[in-house]
């Protein structure tokens, strides 16, 4: 497999090929996922929950993220590496520049930030300075306290329309990828059709340009419960590499997510 870049992912969207991505936090898993042919690895701030056992992602620091990005980088040959900017590390454009630089220097090729149109100036400033940005809309877990829990977003029409406008503004600002988390499947489709950068869904239906799963969910090692939008691929294969190969093949064929994994409205 050739080295995956942001251009590879944009070309995949243009050609109607599905993008498969997953989280990883260390070199060993990253190496298996890279060899299985995953297109991008996100070092997600979900590590606060699945590695550290926290209730949410709020306690995660930029030092945590830089450390795990370095670990993943050592296991990867071809996969695109995306580093997640943790809570309040991009509250101002200046903070975003300093902290995004830490993740890029730790080995990321792109950084991810949660939020809508308020991020436009920050994204412009990062892209101008050579830092590619993945945006993130829908259930953005760093705002869990504003949402009053981990709840599906974009269910009413005004919220859905706002999310489409936000996605368009983020693309114009220079974002090259957009994660859509826990939104109704028809909204995932509308946003994916409204922008030309690839959308990567998690609980956003099957019509996004790609999918992402937290590795602990895909491998059935989550501490407590299995989210509705996930599938335990290891149960079906009994082997980590085969599980990820099955995940990629199911995404590519449009078989995952299935009807049971989506929010219809
Ligand atoms: O932190 C994370 O793992 C994420 C994914 C769920 C998209 O943001």
């Amino acid at each position: 497999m050739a080295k995956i870049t942001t251009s590879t992912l944009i070309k995949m969207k243009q050609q109607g090929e599905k993008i498969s991505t997953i989280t990883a936090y260390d070199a060993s898993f990253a190496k298996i996922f890279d060899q299985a042919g995953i297109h991008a690895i996100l070092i997600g701030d979900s590590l606060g929950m699945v590695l550290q056992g926290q209730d949410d992602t709020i306690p995660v620091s930029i030092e945590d993220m830089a450390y795990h990005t370095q670990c993943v980088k050592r296991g990867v040959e071809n996969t695109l590496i995306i580093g997640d900017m943790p809570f309040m590390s991009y509250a101002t454009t200046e903070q975003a520049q300093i902290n995004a630089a830490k993740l890029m220097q730790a080995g990321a090729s792109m950084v991810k930030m949660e939020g809508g149109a308020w991020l436009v100036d920050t994204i412009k400033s990062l892209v101008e300075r050579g830092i590619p940005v993945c945006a993130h809309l829908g259930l953005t877990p760093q705002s869990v306290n504003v949402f009053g829990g981990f709840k599906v977003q974009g269910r009413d029409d005004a919220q859905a329309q706002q999310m489409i406008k936000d996605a368009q503004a983020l693309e114009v600002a220079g974002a090259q990828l957009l994660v859509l988390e826990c939104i109704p499947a028809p909204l995932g489709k509308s946003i994916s059709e409204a922008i030309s950068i690839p959308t990567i869904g998690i609980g956003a239906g099957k019509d996004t340009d790609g999918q992402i799963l937290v590795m602990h969910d895909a491998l059935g090692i989550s501490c407590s419960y299995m989210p509705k939008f996930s599938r335990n691929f290891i149960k079906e294969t009994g082997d980590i590499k085969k599980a990820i190969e099955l995940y990629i093949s199911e995404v590519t064929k449009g078989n995952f997510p299935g009807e049971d994994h989506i929010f219809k409205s």
Side-chain angles (χ1 to χ4, degrees):
M1 188 171 78
K3 213 160 180 57
I4 310 275
T5 66
T6 50
S7 314
T8 318
L9 303 186
I10 288 170
K11 203 177 286 169
M12 286 178 77
K13 170 163 181 147
Q14 288 164 351
Q15 294 174 344
E17 287 171 45
K18 293 282 186 188
I19 301 163
S20 304
T21 75
I22 194 161
T23 68
Y25 317 96
D26 70 21
S28 302
F29 280 109
K31 188 169 186 172
I32 297 172
F33 301 164
D34 181 82
Q35 289 177 348
I38 205 86
H39 299 113
I41 287 177
L42 170 71
I43 302 97
D45 64 354
S46 50
L47 67 82
M49 299 170 84
V50 296
L51 298 191
Q52 298 174 345
Q54 315 270 12
D55 291 337
D56 52 42
T57 59
I58 308 296
V60 177
S61 69
I62 191 71
E63 288 74 28
D64 293 333
M65 296 311 305
Y67 170 76
H68 287 281
T69 302
Q70 284 171 352
C71 296
V72 165
K73 171 71 178 170
R74 292 186 200 114
V76 163
E77 214 172 303
N78 296 314
T79 304
L80 181 78
I81 299 178
I82 307 171
D84 211 359
M85 299 279 281
F87 182 63
M88 290 301 276
S89 66
Y90 49 98
T92 67
T93 295
E94 196 184 25
Q95 283 174 327
Q97 288 172 1
I98 292 166
N99 290 319
K102 288 184 186 165
L103 297 192
M104 295 297 283
Q105 289 178 332
S109 296
M110 174 175 243
V111 299
K112 180 172 82 58
M113 292 183 296
E114 299 180 3
W118 68 270
L119 277 175
V120 159
D121 290 341
T122 299
I123 292 173
K124 272 189 196 153
S125 93
L126 292 183
V127 174
E128 279 164 3
R129 285 158 182 78
I131 301 181
V133 174
C134 171
H136 185 161
L137 291 173
L139 169 50
T140 45
Q142 290 168 20
S143 299
V144 63
N145 293 305
V146 175
F147 297 147
F150 293 96
K151 295 179 182 162
V152 175
Q153 299 295 307
R155 279 194 149 139
D156 71 60
D157 200 46
Q159 253 196 7
Q161 291 310 318
Q162 184 58 50
M163 216 181 287
I164 295 172
K165 282 192 195 137
D166 280 348
Q168 289 168 327
L170 294 165
E171 175 176 17
V172 171
Q176 287 174 289
L177 205 57
L178 173 62
V179 168
L180 295 173
E181 180 162 353
C182 289
I183 58 173
L187 180 57
K189 183 173 194 287
S190 301
I191 295 176
S192 304
E193 288 171 354
I195 59 177
S196 56
I197 58 169
T199 57
I200 307 294
I202 174 162
K206 66 174 181 52
D207 294 309
T208 52
D209 303 302
Q211 299 292 327
I212 185 161
L213 285 177
V214 171
M215 58 160 276
H216 290 62
D217 296 337
L219 299 179
I221 46 176
S222 286
C223 298
S224 45
Y225 89 114
M226 180 68 125
K228 173 182 167 65
F229 51 77
S230 195
R231 177 167 144 190
N232 183 344
F233 287 91
I234 202 128
K235 211 167 163 186
E236 300 170 55
T237 55
D239 173 277
I240 297 171
K241 183 148 181 261
K242 287 200 182 94
I244 301 310
E245 285 166 350
L246 177 63
Y247 165 56
I248 296 169
S249 131
E250 289 289 82
V251 170
T252 304
K253 291 181 194 152
N255 294 338
F256 178 77
E259 282 298 295
D260 291 349
H261 307 117
I262 67 174
F263 303 104
K264 294 195 172 122
S265 61

